[in-house]
């Protein structure tokens, strides 16, 4: 049995959608980060980094979206959520690394500037850069990562559940999805999937 620790509307949407897609036997445990629940001792035992998502597995806890997504796919091989060839697999890893280390971090400067500076002036300056940085990330994904119709081509993979977060981050940053037709088509396709809709209902979005 797997347990996903999640906050509503957070990046935990990605593994949550994938758990639904693969038909996993799983439970969820809500960690309302808006109320500081991620800093409580009971959750710090699960993830000392005080972040969601975290996935409890029979072997222990996994954190970090790319690792969680890969684990879910690898433990549900019948769902074929990982690309077949070493080159395509590396491409999926590259996209997920970009989403985790660059795009998510660029977005975090909107509301989480205190991670990097105590100066309110510097935080405001960082916020002012978010729309431009997110637009750059969207352009990069549109031109170099998103093959179409799915992230890695004809087949839905772990990358698609993760990519679903990007238009949500763009909207919060004030970047217009309509300027990125491939990303917009991908988002619309995601919104037609039963798994996406079921998870969105749980997250109340
Ligand atoms: N690199 C981590 C990022 C996780 C992360 O930053 N999660 C956010 C929610 S989307 C969080 O827990 N934020 C709480 C905080 O910053 O205090 C991953 O991909 O799992």
């Amino acid at each position: 049995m797997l347990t996903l620790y999640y906050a509503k509307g957070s990046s935990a949407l990605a593994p949550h959608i994938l758990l639904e897609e693969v038909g996993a036997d799983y439970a969820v445990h809500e960690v309302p980060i808006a109320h500081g629940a991620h800093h409580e001792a009971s959750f710090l035992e699960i993830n000392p980094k005080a972040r969601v998502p975290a996935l409890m597995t029979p072997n222990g806890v996994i954190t970090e979206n790319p690792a969680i997504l890969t684990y879910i796919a690898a433990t549900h091989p019948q769902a074929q959520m990982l690309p077949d060839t070493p080159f395509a697999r590396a491409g999926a890893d590259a996209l997920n690394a970009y989403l985790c280390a660059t795009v998510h971090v660029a977005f975090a400067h909107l509301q989480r500037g205190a991670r990097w500076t105590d100066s309110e002036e510097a935080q405001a300056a960082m916020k002012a850069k978010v729309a431009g940085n997110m637009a750059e990330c969207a352009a990069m994904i549109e031109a170099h990562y998103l093959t179409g119709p799915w992230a890695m081509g004809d087949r839905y993979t772990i990358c698609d559940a993760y990519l679903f977060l990007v238009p949500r981050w763009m909207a919060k940053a004030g970047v217009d999805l309509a300027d990125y037709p491939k990303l917009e088509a991908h988002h619309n396709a995601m919104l037609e999937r039963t798994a996406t809709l079921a998870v969105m209902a749980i997250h109340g979005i």
Side-chain angles (χ1 to χ4, degrees):
M1 172 68 123
L2 303 171
T3 301
L4 178 69
Y5 290 78
Y6 80 107
K8 286 184 176 167
S10 74
S11 61
L13 277 162
H16 204 166
I17 289 170
L18 194 67
L19 285 164
E20 281 293 317
E21 286 284 354
V22 302
D25 182 16
Y26 74 99
V28 288
H29 184 112
E30 189 181 350
V31 183
I33 57 179
H35 300 131
H38 52 318
H39 291 293
E40 287 171 11
S42 57
F43 183 65
L44 293 175
E45 275 177 27
I46 304 290
N47 185 3
K49 291 176 284 189
R51 302 277 177 90
V52 291
L55 187 71
M56 178 64 84
T57 79
N59 301 105
V61 177
I62 302 173
T63 61
E64 301 297 331
N65 267 303
I68 295 171
L69 293 167
T70 302
Y71 175 87
I72 294 168
T75 51
H76 298 82
Q78 79 292 345
Q80 295 193 301
M81 289 290 169
L82 290 168
D84 292 329
T85 68
F87 186 74
R89 175 64 197 271
D93 288 346
L95 174 52
N96 281 354
Y98 182 63
L99 296 178
C100 185
T102 299
V103 189
H104 196 171
V105 175
F107 171 66
H109 282 70
L110 193 61
Q111 286 161 338
R112 304 283 182 198
R115 280 184 200 161
W116 294 283
T117 177
D118 293 327
S119 156
E120 284 183 14
E121 199 182 324
Q123 285 180 29
M126 286 195 294
K127 262 188 198 182
K129 290 281 288 180
V130 171
N133 286 339
M134 290 304 292
E136 239 176 61
C137 291
M140 180 64 67
I141 293 167
E142 181 87 3
H144 300 292
Y145 281 114
L146 177 50
T147 307
W150 301 110
M152 298 302 298
D154 289 337
R155 209 174 80 201
Y156 186 104
T157 65
I158 56 173
C159 297
D160 296 297
Y162 206 3
L163 195 56
F164 178 70
L165 301 176
V166 172
R168 293 179 46 78
W169 294 335
M170 288 165 65
K172 287 185 186 162
V175 178
D176 191 355
L177 184 58
D179 291 338
Y180 307 89
K182 282 164 71 182
L183 256 177
E184 187 177 38
H186 180 269
H187 200 59
N188 289 339
M190 286 296 293
L191 291 173
E192 283 176 10
R193 293 180 79 93
T194 309
T196 310
L197 296 174
V199 170
M200 288 175 77
I202 294 168
H203 285 239
I205 57 170

